[in-house]
Amino acid sequence: MTKGKVYFVGAGPGDEGLITVKGQKAIEKADVILYDRLLNPKLLEAAAFDCELIYCGKTPYTTGISQGEINELLVSKALEGHRVVRLKGGDPAVFGRVGEEAESLKDEGIPFEVIPGVTSSIAASMYAGVPVTHRDYGRSFAMVTGHGQTRKDIDWNGLVSIDTVAFYMGVANLPSIRENLINHGKPGNTPALVIQWGTYGRQESVEGTLDDIVERVSGRSLGNPAITLVGDIISLRGKLQWFERKPLYGQRFLVARTGTAKSALAEALYELGGEVIEFPKWNAAKVKIEESQLLAFLSYDRILFTSPESVHGFLDSLTEQAIDFRRISSKLYVLSRKSKKALQQRGLTAELKSGMPEAGTLLVVGDRNRDLRDPAHGDGDYIQSIAKFVDERFLEIFPRMLDGKPVGTVLFSNRHSVDMLMQYGNKANVDIEALLKQASIGVIGESTGNRLQDYGFTSDMMPKEPSVEQLVDLIVNRNVF
């Protein structure tokens, strides 16, 4: 069997937008992905549906899978002929053990490639408003591991002469780091900054000096993952803060998903500085429709599409059978603006179902089995144009996505999203009812709110008009008095 190849990919520090283009392509083409705890699980959504996802996470208090086992997995999966991605938070070459893992491949004659990533110290510092170099404040920069077993090996005399120093994962050892820096000549009034979960919406920063940073951090109960920055350059933070001034900074959202398309709601919240978890994850597969069926469907007076996926499935089938879209004489209707946009992208226009007349033959084009169709869609004939299903690999991942800061707001974009979060959240062993009791709840419209009430919950936010834009405005302005 031909040997596979291993790609060591830097996932960046947390913000999913900081993955490199080359890293993203490697994820998309992977047969197997071994991934760490500190990377953003959202990056795994780019993996193919048949890609094997293997969690290799460790915490400061648990060993998890051993380094030896990781090395063995890389070797065995590559020897089976797979294209393997070793996905690491930050940059694999910066305290990422890429050397050890690559050596195990070299010994077996397995080819590998290293794709660098944005390293956490530089990204987290800039997201906290601090460039790590500046011609007036910092002409030298050092990165140091803050783990206990390495502190005795640090050249503290050399380190105090560096303008800006970043310690990785050193919160537990912060008292020792402070003591060593001061004892070796660093002034006690040197600015210090600890950044937890840098570049995520849950990022939290504590600023002080070497003299008082330990007490300040202890008072805020910060822990790893964190970067500790030391240097006069931190004084620029007041002028250069940008991320922490976004309107939704510090807020964590859970958006209930019902489709494969990108969520406009999630994207809007992310752009405004919020951290957004989307669940469940969906995939779609083609459903074969015969040419004779397609031609018969074009004779209906009305066609109602239930989702963007159903739109693309139906029109893709027409294309595959070389049937001209212009042969569609039916009046087209949709359940959502997303579906309307999907049709517009293909050169067709549609109206919302609220404006659909009762008269005329009706074809409902959906993405679910016939026995799961919603009676509210109408009494017409039904065809499934695409198979849409939940990606159950993410049932294991979802609880880890919820780790850390609690979710403050849960958002539902339609009735179906309520059912899906309840069903698959509980299937992932997450207590969705408890989560909803502790969070604010937003719904896109009255129908969604009514479905939520069926489960015993009431919404805290609902826009006057059912639109993403108005719901986002409500979220942004809810704490503005």
Side-chain angles (χ1 to χ4, degrees):
M1 180 181 287
T2 304
K3 291 179 182 177
K5 184 174 180 179
V6 176
Y7 295 80
F8 295 95
V9 177
D15 183 335
E16 66 264 29
L18 296 180
I19 185 76
T20 64
V21 173
K22 193 169 186 179
Q24 177 83 3
K25 289 181 178 178
I27 293 171
E28 292 170 357
K29 296 178 180 179
D31 301 313
V32 181
I33 297 176
L34 282 74
Y35 65 99
D36 284 346
R37 178 178 75 97
L38 295 182
L39 62 86
N40 192 331
K42 197 169 181 63
L43 296 173
L44 298 172
E45 294 190 3
F49 178 66
D50 57 355
C51 176
E52 182 181 6
L53 305 179
I54 302 174
Y55 180 59
C56 300
K58 303 180 183 70
T59 73
Y61 312 106
T62 60
T63 55
I65 185 170
S66 71
Q67 188 59 55
E69 290 172 314
I70 292 172
N71 295 350
E72 290 173 7
L73 275 170
L74 291 172
V75 169
S76 63
K77 294 297 182 181
L79 288 177
E80 290 171 6
H82 296 302
R83 187 184 182 102
V84 182
V85 164
R86 178 71 174 101
L87 194 58
K88 294 172 171 284
D91 185 302
V94 180
F95 308 123
R97 294 189 175 181
V98 68
E100 299 172 42
E101 295 177 7
E103 281 183 289
S104 67
L105 301 174
K106 185 68 175 178
D107 293 342
E108 298 291 337
I110 297 169
F112 64 87
E113 185 173 326
V114 181
I115 301 175
V118 178
T119 191
S120 302
S121 62
I122 296 174
S125 299
M126 198 64 257
Y127 269 56
V130 181
V132 295
T133 63
H134 188 283
R135 63 180 179 176
D136 295 327
Y137 295 90
R139 293 175 176 267
S140 56
F141 171 62
M143 294 180 285
V144 184
T145 179
H147 285 302
Q149 63 267 32
T150 60
R151 293 199 316 277
K152 61 181 179 295
D153 301 323
I154 294 174
D155 178 9
W156 294 101
N157 286 317
L159 207 56
V160 296
S161 66
I162 302 294
D163 293 325
T164 310
V165 183
F167 293 90
Y168 282 66
M169 308 294 281
V171 172
N173 298 318
L174 195 54
S176 176
I177 291 170
R178 172 177 69 179
E179 179 183 357
N180 277 288
L181 286 172
I182 291 176
N183 288 345
H184 288 82
K186 205 75 169 174
N189 63 355
T190 303
L193 178 68
V194 176
I195 311 155
Q196 183 184 43
W197 290 110
T199 79
Y200 281 94
R202 73 188 105 155
Q203 174 179 305
E204 190 168 354
S205 305
V206 174
E207 186 176 351
T209 65
L210 283 179
D211 282 332
D212 64 12
I213 193 64
V214 172
E215 293 72 26
R216 287 176 179 266
V217 168
S218 177
R220 294 274 289 276
S221 300
L222 261 63
N224 287 321
I227 295 292
T228 298
L229 203 65
V230 178
D232 291 335
I233 202 166
I234 294 169
S235 62
L236 292 172
R237 185 167 180 254
K239 296 179 180 178
L240 301 183
Q241 276 182 284
W242 60 277
F243 180 62
E244 295 175 354
R245 290 176 177 168
K246 286 194 170 189
L248 297 182
Y249 162 74
Q251 299 187 40
R252 207 170 192 214
F253 301 88
L254 171 59
V255 174
R257 292 174 72 168
T258 59
T260 59
K262 285 187 176 181
S263 167
L265 175 58
E267 185 67 19
L269 299 172
Y270 165 76
E271 289 296 328
L272 291 168
E275 181 181 354
V276 187
I277 300 167
E278 296 179 77
F279 183 82
K281 164 74 166 62
W282 294 82
N283 280 308
K286 288 182 179 180
V287 172
K288 185 172 177 57
I289 307 175
E290 299 297 335
E291 181 182 9
S292 58
Q293 289 180 290
L294 287 168
L295 290 172
F297 295 151
L298 301 184
S299 64
Y300 282 81
D301 298 316
R302 301 168 294 157
I303 299 178
L304 172 66
F305 295 97
T306 66
S307 67
E309 292 87 356
S310 67
V311 168
H312 293 303
F314 185 79
L315 297 183
D316 287 347
S317 294
L318 291 179
T319 300
E320 289 168 6
Q321 298 288 354
I323 298 173
D324 194 328
F325 290 0
R326 289 173 294 184
R327 296 183 65 175
I328 301 176
S329 59
S330 315
K331 190 74 174 177
L332 306 182
Y333 298 92
V334 291
L335 294 182
S336 68
R337 288 177 173 82
K338 273 189 180 180
S339 299
K340 185 174 183 178
K341 185 175 180 180
L343 280 165
Q344 288 174 338
Q345 290 171 342
R346 306 291 288 265
L348 298 169
T349 59
E351 295 180 16
L352 292 173
K353 181 181 179 294
S354 57
M356 186 174 75
E358 296 293 330
T361 54
L362 172 65
L363 174 69
V364 179
V365 180
D367 54 26
R368 309 166 75 184
N369 292 333
R370 183 182 300 275
D371 55 350
L372 295 176
R373 65 173 293 187
D374 189 337
H377 295 162
D379 295 329
D381 295 328
Y382 182 84
I383 181 68
Q384 182 183 9
S385 67
I386 200 162
K388 190 173 71 174
F389 52 92
V390 169
D391 188 338
E392 298 207 355
R393 294 175 302 175
F394 285 79
L395 297 182
E396 174 194 345
I397 296 170
F398 183 47
R400 292 198 294 271
M401 296 173 76
L402 295 173
D403 283 347
K405 185 174 182 175
V407 169
T409 307
V410 181
L411 300 169
F412 298 98
S413 58
N414 54 52
R415 291 174 57 88
H416 188 45
S417 67
V418 179
D419 296 327
M420 292 300 96
L421 183 61
M422 294 295 186
Q423 178 182 342
Y424 286 97
N426 290 323
K427 196 171 182 180
N429 294 318
V430 172
D431 190 340
I432 296 298
E433 288 79 6
L435 190 155
L436 288 173
K437 287 177 182 177
Q438 296 172 5
S440 295
I441 303 175
V443 297
I444 200 75
E446 187 175 346
S447 174
T448 308
N450 291 339
R451 187 59 181 149
L452 187 66
Q453 288 180 350
D454 293 339
Y455 288 92
F457 295 94
T458 56
S459 62
D460 302 293
M461 293 175 286
M462 183 176 72
K464 292 181 179 179
E465 296 293 331
S467 73
V468 167
E469 294 78 12
Q470 286 201 19
L471 181 55
V472 171
D473 283 343
L474 278 179
I475 293 167
V476 171
N477 295 314
R478 61 181 164 178
N479 294 322
V480 177
F481 301 99

